[in-house]
Amino acid sequence: MPTVAGLGELSRLEVYALAGVGVLAAETDDDVRTAWQSLAADTTIVVLTPHAAATLGRRLTEPGAPMTVVLPS
């Protein structure tokens, strides 16, 4: 079964925890980068807040990166 994570501001992601998404709260740019690096190896999908996606930029398309979806603003 795919492992799904949510990464970004907790206020935008906490509801996803009810659906079994592993939420990684990251409020600052440094928090976002640290959380991205700490994703479990079996993470296949990451739900990102717009801030988290902007912070990660090109890292989202690196070979081996999990599939991502960005929440609307």
Side-chain angles (χ1 to χ4, degrees):
M1 171 171 253
T3 302
V4 181
L7 195 159
E9 300 90 323
L10 182 59
S11 63
R12 304 269 328 256
L13 295 171
E14 60 190 349
V15 69
Y16 290 91
L18 298 172
V21 173
V23 174
L24 299 167
E27 303 293 330
T28 68
D29 291 351
D30 286 338
D31 291 344
V32 169
R33 288 187 284 272
T34 299
W36 181 257
Q37 292 299 320
S38 72
L39 289 171
D42 63 346
T43 301
T44 55
I45 302 168
V46 182
V47 178
L48 298 162
T49 62
H51 172 256
T55 299
L56 293 170
R58 292 186 178 172
R59 289 186 178 116
L60 301 178
T61 58
E62 291 176 346
M67 182 173 68
T68 58
V69 61
V70 181
L71 297 173
S73 298

